[in-house]
Amino acid sequence: MKNIVSKLILISTIIMVVSGCKKEEPFSKDYDINLPAAIVTSISDDKPFVGDTITLSGENLLTAQTVSIGAYNFTIVDKKDNSLTLIVPRVIDAGFITVVNAYKRSFTTEVSLQPQFYPAVITTWPSEIQRGKAFILKGENIDLIKEVKVNGKLSSIVGSATPTQASFATAGIEPGETAVIDVTPKAGDKQTSPLLTVIAPIDTYTPQQS
């Protein structure tokens, strides 16, 4: 009899240990929980200038983590349950705004934002172009340039542009003995440099004295 009782106690102990070790899922498939997505009902200005502040009004906005159009993110400066205050990035395309919250749920607006750009103005052209090397353009709203061409061939930007200057490459471009730079801004008139002399690249390396 004692052996039977001992075996029953042992079996009960094993069952309790196995049950205690079973991992519990915090959210099973049958777990009923409401994870609300953000809802945007209105935009204070759907044609803002870059750098302006706009407000999105709606519901469930306090848990918003990112606000974007494609790869371009807005800066969130204030969050409330019924509103989001944002700064429009300077580099952005027109499109629908997507709000993603802390639950990874997203909402996309039905209204397309149409950002407005300030005219880019070149105030300083390079005095010459070194063959195969980058040149610098200086002025106002330089980061709002759409494209730059050297003798009709597209020049890619080197690094990141700032509102006051940017560098552009000449690698892969054969400008000849002279070159003209054409700048097309996102807003405003196209601008053309004076005729520039193309020279051999200057080696700025200074050997160390032994």
Side-chain angles (χ1 to χ4, degrees):
M1 184 68 180
K2 289 183 179 180
N3 288 338
I4 295 175
V5 173
S6 298
K7 289 181 179 179
L8 290 174
I9 293 173
L10 179 61
I11 292 171
S12 299
T13 302
I14 292 172
I15 292 172
M16 291 175 64
V17 170
V18 171
S19 298
C21 293
K22 184 179 179 181
K23 183 179 179 180
E24 293 186 3
E25 296 295 336
F27 299 107
S28 68
K29 292 181 180 180
D30 298 326
Y31 196 91
D32 185 17
I33 188 170
N34 181 28
L35 300 176
I39 297 175
V40 177
T41 55
S42 65
I43 304 173
S44 62
D45 185 359
D46 62 359
K47 294 181 180 179
F49 274 90
V50 293
D52 281 0
T53 299
I54 62 172
T55 300
L56 306 184
S57 299
E59 302 173 13
N60 306 319
L61 298 175
L62 190 59
T63 58
Q65 295 291 300
T66 62
V67 181
S68 62
I69 293 179
Y72 307 108
N73 290 321
F74 293 76
T75 300
I76 301 174
V77 295
D78 186 54
K79 290 194 292 186
K80 295 183 175 65
D81 190 59
N82 62 353
S83 68
L84 283 175
T85 304
L86 314 168
I87 297 176
V88 181
R90 287 180 66 86
V91 180
I92 190 173
D93 291 330
F96 300 98
I97 299 175
T98 297
V99 180
V100 179
N101 65 12
Y103 311 120
K104 305 303 180 185
R105 299 197 64 186
S106 64
F107 176 90
T108 301
T109 61
E110 295 182 357
V111 177
S112 175
L113 196 77
Q114 304 293 321
Q116 308 298 302
F117 300 97
Y118 297 103
V121 179
I122 309 299
T123 58
T124 305
W125 298 95
S127 58
E128 59 194 9
I129 291 180
Q130 295 183 47
R131 197 180 305 276
K133 288 199 172 185
F135 58 89
I136 297 175
L137 298 179
K138 296 182 180 181
E140 302 171 6
N141 302 310
I142 299 300
D143 56 338
L144 302 183
I145 289 175
K146 182 179 180 180
E147 67 176 21
V148 172
K149 290 183 176 181
V150 178
N151 285 357
K153 296 182 179 179
L154 192 64
S155 173
S156 58
I157 192 168
V158 178
S160 299
T162 71
T164 58
Q165 71 175 44
S167 296
F168 294 88
T170 61
I173 299 175
E174 295 296 335
E177 299 301 318
T178 59
V180 171
I181 302 171
D182 292 313
V183 174
T184 303
K186 293 181 178 180
D189 298 328
K190 181 178 178 180
Q191 297 160 72
T192 301
S193 73
L195 191 64
L196 304 173
T197 302
V198 178
I199 64 172
I202 299 173
D203 187 0
T204 57
Y205 172 73
T206 303
Q208 295 182 350
Q209 299 293 327
S210 59

